[in-house]
Amino acid sequence: MSTIDLHQVRVTDSLFGGYIQLLAEKVLPYQWQVLSDQLPGNAKTYCVENFRIAAGQKQGGHGGAIFQDTDLYKWLEAVAYCIAAGYRDELEPLADQVVELLAAAQCEDGYLNTYITIEHPDRRWANLTEGHELYGAGHLIEAAVAYYQATGKRALLDVGIRFADLIDRVFGEEEGKCHGYPGHQEIELALVRLYRVTQEKRYLSLARYFISERGKAPNYLMQERARNHPFPFEIFPEFMEYDELYAQTHQPPVHQTTAEGHAVRALYMYSAMAELAIYSEDDALRNACRKLYENIVERRMYITGGVGSSGKLERFTTDYDLPNDTMYCESCASVALMMFGQRMAELTGEATYYDTVERALMNTVLAGISAGGDRYFYVNPLEVWPANCLASTSMSHVKPVRQPWFPCACCPPNIARTLASVGQYIYSVQSGAVCGNQFISSTFRHAFGNADFALELKSSYMRDGCVTLKATLSGDARIRLKVRVPGYMQHASFTLNGRRDQPEKEQGYTCWTLENAGTYTIDIRAEVRPVFVAANLHVRADAGKAAVSKGPFVYCFEETDNGANLANLPIRTDAPLTETAPLEQLPGELPTLETDGERIVQSIEQTESLYGQAAFKTEKQRLKAIPYFQWCNRKPGEMTVFLPVSR
Amino acid sequence: MSTIDLHQVRVTDSLFGGYIQLLAEKVLPYQWQVLSDQLPGNAKTYCVENFRIAAGQKQGGHGGAIFQDTDLYKWLEAVAYCIAAGYRDELEPLADQVVELLAAAQCEDGYLNTYITIEHPDRRWANLTEGHELYGAGHLIEAAVAYYQATGKRALLDVGIRFADLIDRVFGEEEGKCHGYPGHQEIELALVRLYRVTQEKRYLSLARYFISERGKAPNYLMQERARNHPFPFEIFPEFMEYDELYAQTHQPPVHQTTAEGHAVRALYMYSAMAELAIYSEDDALRNACRKLYENIVERRMYITGGVGSSGKLERFTTDYDLPNDTMYCESCASVALMMFGQRMAELTGEATYYDTVERALMNTVLAGISAGGDRYFYVNPLEVWPANCLASTSMSHVKPVRQPWFPCACCPPNIARTLASVGQYIYSVQSGAVCGNQFISSTFRHAFGNADFALELKSSYMRDGCVTLKATLSGDARIRLKVRVPGYMQHASFTLNGRRDQPEKEQGYTCWTLENAGTYTIDIRAEVRPVFVAANLHVRADAGKAAVSKGPFVYCFEETDNGANLANLPIRTDAPLTETAPLEQLPGELPTLETDGERIVQSIEQTESLYGQAAFKTEKQRLKAIPYFQWCNRKPGEMTVFLPVSR
């Protein structure tokens, strides 16, 4: 979580501002209906009901996943961000009731997990590998901090603190404490956030403990599995293949150099490591973070900012292994990648990390939610042929259309909390400096000592390459305004108050120094052209293929625009790419792209046979691409990002 | 199993004769060492030991898979074929000891299954879904018939008959009998073979019962699962996803029109259905067989004769879903496809079914065994990038090198019994006719009434397009000699006793009528050129790609000949394909092929980046292909069958 207060940001951008409004007015009410089992036709989630049972307000057993609580926590976190964005009246009364419920469900000693409380009250922390208790605690604490920051109300923060204090009493390297750590990381991030808001160093130390204990020999989780085998409650059948890499326990995190295992767990951990490196000034940890980040963005990330190449166990695999159809690319993993990038930028001061934040946000995270806000992708393929996403195929984890909900529903509220807090990815504050990290139209206010700083960002770079920043400084101060001008804004020129300017560059930022009270208007003019893009030669899945993009948006080809059997559509990277009208029914007013390609209309003479002597014939075909995140908002069907290049 | 007696065939072909010699002299002794736990360094298989325990000759528990018995049965079946091929002295003494052991392990009432006998003697037939008891019985009976036919000794046949009689008492539609059927088909095939050798119609009826009961509502296997859930002994974790399609119980087999579920189970069943259609003259069953066959060879089969597109559950998926890297293509499934093709040819009299037999044999089945005979592929990919066949990927089921053995070791002895009995796929006998179905050099003898027929087949079509058949008829008879001249033998011309001949065609066979005692020499001259081949447009995985083949052999490109990163090697289908020298160290004396292709040497300007603006550069590269079945006999590395076509 960035250093800014979301009250300081107002997102005015039609795309992202639109999502925040959609979230507040439609998506979060929809998700509440789902979580409280009031949505007609939706399978019961038991999420709110579990808390009622744990609070003694209702009788019954636990329902849904063992980590079902976290859906409500993330929902509440998203609510908090919408409240900070100005939707207090709509959301706060309900949220306050939820906070009351959570407080009522909390045990006297601070423990809060409805599954354990209802089903196995005597088995706390017995299955850290799968149990998700610390994961749940983390999401509770994140929601608590967010709700406190948004509303100033302490009730939920106190719930979070009580739980954190209990965890601090239970876990640690001291003798007599449990030397375990979570199977699913998240608590570490949350504890750092709790430290940020409380300044209580115990939370920072506890977060550091969870990172430093991890990967030590003997391996706690493996010992736990051996001790408890079969577990008192075994939850995931896939865990028969549980291994140390899957759990990021193959080495101490500080020695890890490649992104391994379950992608969300890994990235939550790396994010926490980066934050801890900030506070501890730990060079080893900082270097580990840098290596892990580089391994991801140089070897293990999709062009859409998706991560997790294996549909099996939702995990990282090996360098350059980036299959377009069998992958996982969980929406949550890209949310986590945004977090990691943001924290790396905070750790290093370098703008470049926001390239990755932007890539993940503008493509995979946005793709995870439908234009209407009530349908979601868990898995985000770069190539879909719906007919083979069957239960009988290796692709059954890929859903060719967004779903109303999931039995494991981590993604919908995770996307919600991310989009609701998009302001944190737009701006950051350094000592005496404001960083503008994304050209998403918005306003930003911040006080530097006695001086008020106000910024108005108006961006239309996807239409005309233009961005205007109007900064007003009231009171005397020396403020650095640092703006990340992305690489896709080519031949950028700058004017300051109407005069041609040649600003300096620093750590990837274009920088201005504002030294006196007054208003400073910066205009940026650049070319943002659609381009053909390709992958590194080592990415076998994309060999000889190209995609199209404009700005941060990766585009894709849909069956509804290009006909079925997209694999048979070669493109020419020397053909012109033409911008055409945005799709009216979809958000963002982003241009569609067209180019002259081909369609292979024959491969063998006997066209009904399965194989035969090669006899290729092609015809010209005009190809149309739309932004990847918009796919499957019109007709379901085939989709692909990459097409083969004909030369 | 064909109508011929393997004593009648001698395979003289350097490739296949070489394999039979290798099997008799090296492979079967090696496999015996493995099965009897005498191979140093190999994980214990318990296979022979289980029989010793069941026979009361040893104490202990059952080890290995629940169907471990079948490895020994298939080994024994292969031994029988080698004995028929002339390797009696080497193999029969050991085989007789094994037969004695099996007889000793059989229960008094005829039951024989070491897992159940040792571990759950009171739970016979309780888990037909997973238990594999009927599957084991089937392989026992197949071995028994083969050993009887090879040696004339009845001891094992009697063991098989006793078990078959027990099964006949237990299962059937009559009241009081169990109305179940096998989770893994195989018994059906075996019972038809037992009928062929005993002429006991009960076995045919029992086979027909197993087919006709299957798929009836309510579904026996699903009811069993519900009744026993969790099973008294649950064996396969993957069976959590067990479904009716997987088990070919979604409909009565006679109504099935698409190949579904576990590929080996499906194809064993289809093979049995085709045989039953022969004996029952059941048109509905015949039509079902034809539809299933067509669905496979027109929609669901790899160019290598592999089947089973999904690595998950080893199953058929959907039409045209033929991924080259994530597939299963189990060696056993191609063995089973050979069986199905052979029985379809017997059912219909049509030569065309042997195209599929040949495709499966010459590519996937041969690929399943190393040149040295002691390493095996279970899964047969068409594209391998070893670095991503890791436990952490969706490709962990793909082994990039042949293995010395497997925990589930169905394939090695299945390949052995298939290659040892290859004669049954070369010749078949119809009423008054001999069919030559494969141009594999060999001799064949058969008596038609009082007339002896002898054939000498000399084939060098892969070298020069020539095949010579020398038929000698002693005694007067009217014999039709029907020869399948494959489609890849182009512009075939024929001479009979040196004179130009224009033989008639019948059901895909080229036919001669031999009416008087004497010798008839038929020479066939044809062109067998290497060609570029491609897949149907609907096969997305092969879109815009081509492979090379010559005759029945699909070729592949290996890293050792072409460098790493084969995905970056486009070929031109208009370039010449040149035949070059055979690889000396590999069997078959088959030419290698070369063509002028390219290598993509740059895809983006910043060659270390993961993505960038497309900037493709290529260089000319000479590409070399070898027969697919020979892959991974030199250096391990990447391999691919299909390459992208540059146009």
Side-chain angles (χ1 to χ4, degrees), chain A residues 42-53:
Chain A
N42 199 63
K44 201 168 170 181
T45 65
Y46 302 93
C47 184
V48 172
E49 183 172 303
N50 290 332
F51 283 100
R52 294 208 170 114
I53 294 167

Side-chain angles (χ1 to χ4, degrees), chain A residues 425-488:
Chain A
Y425 298 102
I426 307 178
Y427 299 104
S428 58
V429 171
Q430 299 173 346
S431 168
V434 169
C435 301
N437 298 305
Q438 307 290 343
F439 286 149
I440 296 174
S441 297
S442 53
T443 62
F444 179 63
R445 290 177 293 106
H446 193 76
F448 287 93
N450 295 326
D452 275 345
F453 172 84
L455 182 69
E456 191 181 350
L457 165 60
K458 286 191 178 168
S459 168
S460 54
Y461 70 91
M462 279 294 286
R463 194 171 65 243
D464 56 15
C466 295
V467 176
T468 300
L469 298 127
K470 191 167 146 195
T472 304
L473 196 58
S474 59
D476 279 342
R478 190 171 182 279
I479 306 294
R480 291 279 277 175
L481 176 59
K482 303 168 75 168
V483 176
R484 171 179 159 269
V485 181
Y488 53 76

Side-chain angles (χ1 to χ4, degrees), chain A residues 328-364:
Chain A
Y328 213 71
C329 286
E330 182 178 342
S331 301
C332 289
S334 290
V335 165
L337 181 59
M338 290 175 64
M339 293 180 175
F340 185 33
Q342 179 196 47
R343 283 153 179 82
M344 287 304 292
E346 191 182 342
L347 173 63
T348 62
E350 298 278 353
T352 179
Y353 294 100
Y354 274 102
D355 295 351
T356 300
V357 172
E358 184 180 44
R359 188 188 287 278
L361 171 62
M362 301 295 190
N363 300 290
T364 298

Side-chain angles (χ1 to χ4, degrees), chain B residues 189-208:
Chain B
L189 270 174
L191 288 168
V192 178
R193 277 186 83 171
L194 190 60
Y195 161 72
R196 288 198 186 205
V197 75
T198 62
Q199 291 297 310
E200 172 58 69
K201 291 206 169 164
R202 275 189 301 121
Y203 304 135
L204 202 58
S205 301
L206 184 57
R208 195 178 295 122

Side-chain angles (χ1 to χ4, degrees), chain A residues 42 69 82 140 162 299 348 445 484 489 545 553 578:
Chain A
N42 199 63
D69 295 356
C82 286
L140 168 67
R162 280 197 295 273
R299 308 282 176 104
T348 62
R445 290 177 293 106
R484 171 179 159 269
M489 296 189 69
K545 295 182 182 173
F553 296 96
T578 312

Side-chain angles (χ1 to χ4, degrees), chain A residues 301-303 310-312 321 388 394 396 532-537 540 565 568 603 607 609-612 614 638 647, chain B residues 301-303 310-312 321 388 394 396 532 534-537 540 565 568 603 607 609-612 614 638 647:
Chain A
M301 178 186 70
Y302 286 85
I303 194 168
S310 180
K312 196 165 138 192
D321 177 33
N388 79 341
S394 305
S396 58
F532 289 98
V533 288
N536 189 292
L537 275 184
R540 269 88 172 155
N565 211 335
N568 278 303
S603 54
T607 56
S609 296
L610 192 48
Y611 304 103
E638 290 182 47
R647 278 171 307 275
Chain B
M301 178 186 70
Y302 286 85
I303 195 169
S310 181
K312 196 166 136 193
D321 177 33
N388 79 342
S394 305
S396 59
F532 290 98
N536 188 291
L537 274 184
R540 270 88 172 153
N565 210 336
N568 278 301
S603 53
T607 56
S609 295
L610 192 48
Y611 304 104
E638 291 181 47
R647 278 171 305 276

